[in-house]
Amino acid sequence: MGAVLTRAAPSLLRSRLGDRGFSRLLDITPASSLSFVLDTTGSMGEEINAAKIQARHIVEQRRGSPMEPIHYVLVPFHDPGFGPVFTTSDPDSFWQQLNEIHALGGGDEPEMCLSALELALLHTPPLSDIFVFTDASPKDAFLTSRVEALTQERRCRVTFLVTEDPSRGQGRGRREVLSPLRFEPYEVVALASGGEVIFTKDQYIQDVAAVVGDSMADQVTLPLEPPDVVPERPLVFNVDGLLQRVSVRIHGEVSSFWIRSPAGISQGPEEGQGSLGHTRRFGQFWMVSINDPPQTGTWEIQVTAESNPRVRVQAQTSLDFLFHFGIPMEDGPHPGLYPLTQPVAGLQTQLLVEVTGLGPRGSPEDSLPHFSHVILRGVPEGAKLGQVPLEPRGAQERGLFVASLPPTLLSTVGPFSLELIGQDGGGRDLHRASPQPCTVVPVLLELSGPQGFLAPGSKAPLTLHVASFSSPQDLNLRTSVNSSFSLTSNLSRVRLEQNESAWGRLWLEVPESAASNSVVMVTVTALGREAGLVPPTHAFLRLLVLAPAPQDQLAAPAHSSGPVFTSVSPTLRPSPLVTWGRAGGGLAGNPWWGTVGGVLLLLGLASW
């Protein structure tokens, strides 16, 4: 009976709830949150006004629609501070709080932008949009790698709207010369999250923010070939019959551009209505809205610019896809996939694809889109790394597919993107790209905590697991937590051979002053001891602080005095030991299996 329920539950839930309700149940609803990160220094008056107008516009535009946010987040920052975070599910409360923010004193750069963004990511649900308004570079650039990894773990798209000329060498409020690369951390985070960095000026910020905000609702980004502008070479993209409201955004030091349709009709940068669509310009930012319905086929864009311009093509469609990674598991209470945030070098990994918007339930199979394979591309150069065939799981209308990632991809650490390839019911080509790139990380790094919540004044044990499957690794392990919390670890360095694991213990002390209903994030970073050879790997754990009822209070366990090395079998038991063993053992019996089993049940990853 249990197996029957496991197989039937996903289909039953999805048929009763629909795509949107089913995804909300799994906390993977697109646009489930609207988050703003705002620079509040004295020079930010126009930007703050633009954020207020855009927030009000998004709230009113999406109210009552499937894209209406169910969560709102606001994080201000300046120098040297950031926060506090404001969260609510009430759009009117959000608007009231945002309306109370005004530009304060200060005005020098750099500022604590990435710290504020990290705080926003901590409180923002997965698959949400985050808008950052600033005119300064980050003072906390050392957080770049951690925030980059957190955006991918949370699957959140970050868009930076920067009212500053990146080539200007003298910062506002300061006389020293600033590096032209000072905005590079924003570029790194935007690329990792599937977002973008848009440089504009004060007088255009409201118009640019409105264009960008409108493009977030129910939109997909179409892949370009090549992905970046190359002199004297056109960018190519394809439009299928399920796309509408196609738009082309170009920004940078552009001298000219043209767009050509499959029929050979061209349109240049002139503002107003043209032969292909309507063009608006705000400084060095162009927006071309292609006439509906757009002609299907191959389109071209040619851009002439002095520097590296940015081009993004988006369209509205109901057909899109979500993806997950996992390790095939044959044992344990729920055979299926053990979920991973990112693929791990050398570890056999499967890709699960969930296609959304296939059409009404009960539609004839011959009228539904069919998907055959996924193309893997390197990031950011766009080189094809290979392709993997898709195997359907269950009925076609479920839209669930599984593929095995090729060993060649998993042998090299680095970012890659996914492109879903198929055909519609009429045999015409379909092409969808993942909203953000993925990364093959060098080691498996996992962090788990106690069941339930944390009580103020308590001490909580956390378990750390690190494993290498591709090559020997000599790693430093760094930990971090909210400033008011204390965190100790008995594992700060580890040397692993191929297919070897290590387990350690951390202790988190919650201060008596910790606010109830607050969220604390613990981060562990694995760094190669030889700088630059091994990119960092991050593990994140979010925990809730909640004052317990008197009958729920338990005595705090004793604190371990230090690491103890042993050759016991590698299981994640609640002990203060650093244990060693062969990588891959003990997955079925570790404390995560309760959660994993629930995920397997809901997603239907067990054998159907």
Side-chain angles (χ1 to χ4, degrees):
M1 176 63 73
V4 174
L5 290 175
T6 300
R7 292 193 295 266
S11 177
L12 178 61
L13 287 171
R14 200 170 182 182
S15 63
R16 295 285 179 85
L17 300 176
D19 278 343
R20 184 169 182 264
F22 183 70
S23 294
R24 279 220 168 148
L25 178 64
L26 299 178
D27 199 18
I28 53 177
T29 306
S32 59
S33 174
L34 178 62
S35 298
F36 281 77
V37 179
L38 286 179
D39 183 344
T40 60
T41 48
S43 59
M44 284 292 294
E46 287 295 330
E47 291 84 348
I48 292 174
N49 287 335
K52 293 177 180 179
I53 293 172
Q54 184 56 23
R56 171 64 87 179
H57 175 69
I58 292 175
V59 168
E60 295 301 331
Q61 182 188 51
R62 302 183 187 180
R63 190 188 295 267
S65 75
M67 295 301 294
E68 180 180 4
I70 59 172
H71 196 68
Y72 300 85
V73 178
L74 176 63
V75 182
F77 71 93
H78 49 87
D79 181 21
F82 61 94
V85 61
F86 175 79
T87 64
T88 182
S89 58
D90 180 7
D92 294 323
S93 296
F94 174 73
W95 168 249
Q96 181 180 358
Q97 186 70 24
L98 180 61
N99 207 36
E100 293 176 358
I101 289 183
H102 302 281
L104 306 174
D108 63 339
E109 81 154 271
E111 291 167 7
M112 304 295 286
C113 180
L114 295 185
S115 297
L117 176 56
E118 184 178 48
L119 186 59
L121 284 163
L122 173 61
H123 291 85
T124 298
L127 285 174
S128 298
D129 279 304
I130 299 178
F131 297 93
V132 181
F133 290 78
T134 185
D135 61 358
S137 57
K139 186 176 186 177
D140 44 8
F142 63 90
L143 292 175
T144 301
S145 174
R146 196 165 85 191
V147 173
E148 175 189 7
L150 188 56
T151 63
Q152 293 189 326
E153 194 260 356
R154 301 297 287 165
R155 302 277 182 93
C156 287
R157 177 172 53 186
V158 182
T159 299
F160 294 87
L161 293 163
V162 184
T163 50
E164 170 71 297
D165 182 355
S167 63
R168 187 160 65 88
Q170 182 169 309
R172 54 181 170 84
R174 293 192 178 220
R175 295 182 178 179
E176 68 265 28
V177 175
L178 298 173
S179 169
L181 300 178
R182 64 192 183 278
F183 293 103
E184 185 65 22
Y186 298 163
E187 303 282 2
V188 171
V189 171
L191 176 64
S193 71
E196 58 186 323
V197 181
I198 299 175
F199 293 96
T200 185
K201 297 184 182 298
D202 284 349
Q203 62 264 41
Y204 304 122
I205 183 62
Q206 293 187 14
D207 295 311
V208 171
V211 169
V212 174
D214 286 345
S215 70
M216 297 298 172
D218 201 18
Q219 297 271 333
V220 296
T221 299
L222 306 186
L224 297 171
E225 173 58 36
D228 295 313
V229 173
V230 177
E232 300 181 0
R233 179 181 174 185
L235 302 173
V236 175
F237 67 95
N238 291 289
V239 173
D240 60 62
L242 300 181
L243 298 176
Q244 57 184 349
R245 293 186 62 189
V246 176
S247 63
V248 178
R249 299 210 308 260
I250 303 172
H251 57 96
E253 297 180 25
V254 176
S255 54
S256 67
F257 69 86
W258 52 256
I259 301 173
R260 180 176 294 141
S261 71
I265 301 174
S266 297
Q267 179 171 322
E270 295 78 16
E271 293 187 73
Q273 184 63 42
S275 54
L276 297 177
H278 186 270
T279 301
R280 290 177 286 170
R281 178 183 179 182
F282 310 107
Q284 293 297 307
F285 182 95
W286 284 264
M287 169 75 166
V288 183
S289 301
I290 304 299
N291 296 330
D292 266 337
Q295 184 180 5
T296 59
T298 300
W299 291 64
E300 295 183 351
I301 306 171
Q302 179 75 60
V303 180
T304 303
E306 295 181 10
S307 60
N308 184 26
R310 313 300 172 84
V311 180
R312 173 167 291 216
V313 181
Q314 293 184 297
Q316 190 175 71
T317 180
S318 61
L319 185 70
D320 201 358
F321 74 100
L322 301 168
F323 61 91
H324 317 269
F325 299 106
I327 308 168
M329 298 293 299
E330 300 302 330
D331 55 358
H334 298 279
L337 293 182
Y338 179 82
L340 296 175
T341 301
Q342 298 287 359
V344 180
L347 182 60
Q348 179 188 357
T349 304
Q350 288 196 331
L351 167 69
L352 174 76
V353 173
E354 179 190 1
V355 181
T356 59
L358 281 174
R361 301 293 171 192
S363 299
E365 286 204 0
D366 57 3
S367 68
L368 294 175
H370 294 70
F371 295 95
S372 57
H373 63 280
V374 168
I375 293 177
L376 311 169
R377 294 191 182 276
V379 174
E381 72 283 352
K384 185 176 178 179
L385 303 177
Q387 66 181 49
V388 292
L390 291 173
E391 299 178 8
R393 286 292 183 264
Q396 183 180 346
E397 66 178 16
R398 292 182 180 177
L400 290 175
F401 302 87
V402 174
S404 296
L405 295 182
T408 52
L409 175 73
L410 299 172
S411 65
T412 305
V413 172
F416 67 96
S417 63
L418 305 173
E419 295 179 10
L420 180 65
I421 306 299
Q423 294 182 328
D424 64 17
R428 294 172 290 270
D429 289 343
L430 292 175
H431 194 175
R432 294 291 183 270
S434 59
Q436 64 179 199
C438 320
T439 300
V440 178
V441 295
V443 295
L444 177 66
L445 189 65
E446 299 176 300
L447 186 61
S448 65
Q451 297 291 331
F453 54 83
L454 303 177
S458 65
K459 184 181 293 184
L462 313 178
T463 302
L464 176 64
H465 174 217
V466 56
S468 175
F469 299 90
S470 59
S471 61
Q473 301 284 353
D474 193 4
L475 303 169
N476 285 328
L477 300 174
R478 299 178 181 176
T479 60
S480 65
V481 71
N482 303 38
S483 59
S484 61
F485 290 70
S486 174
L487 183 66
T488 57
S489 172
N490 64 1
L491 187 61
S492 61
R493 179 182 176 182
V494 62
R495 169 74 184 182
L496 298 174
E497 299 300 325
Q498 184 177 358
N499 293 326
E500 190 173 34
S501 295
W503 281 259
R505 178 55 56 94
L506 290 76
W507 290 88
L508 176 65
E509 295 186 39
V510 184
E512 293 282 0
S513 58
S516 186
N517 293 319
S518 62
V519 179
V520 57
M521 183 171 70
V522 179
T523 304
V524 177
T525 301
L527 293 160
R529 289 182 58 81
E530 296 186 31
L533 294 182
V534 179
T537 303
H538 305 270
F540 305 98
L541 180 64
R542 281 167 296 277
L543 299 166
L544 177 66
V545 177
L546 191 65
Q551 64 270 21
D552 295 332
Q553 295 181 4
L554 300 175
H559 178 46
S560 170
S561 60
V564 179
F565 299 93
T566 178
S567 57
V568 298
S569 60
T571 56
L572 291 174
R573 62 174 61 88
S575 73
L577 301 179
V578 175
T579 62
W580 299 80
R582 304 300 292 174
L587 287 177
N590 70 43
W592 284 294
W593 261 111
T595 301
V596 173
V599 173
L600 298 181
L601 172 68
L602 291 175
L603 286 178
L605 299 183
S607 56
W608 296 351

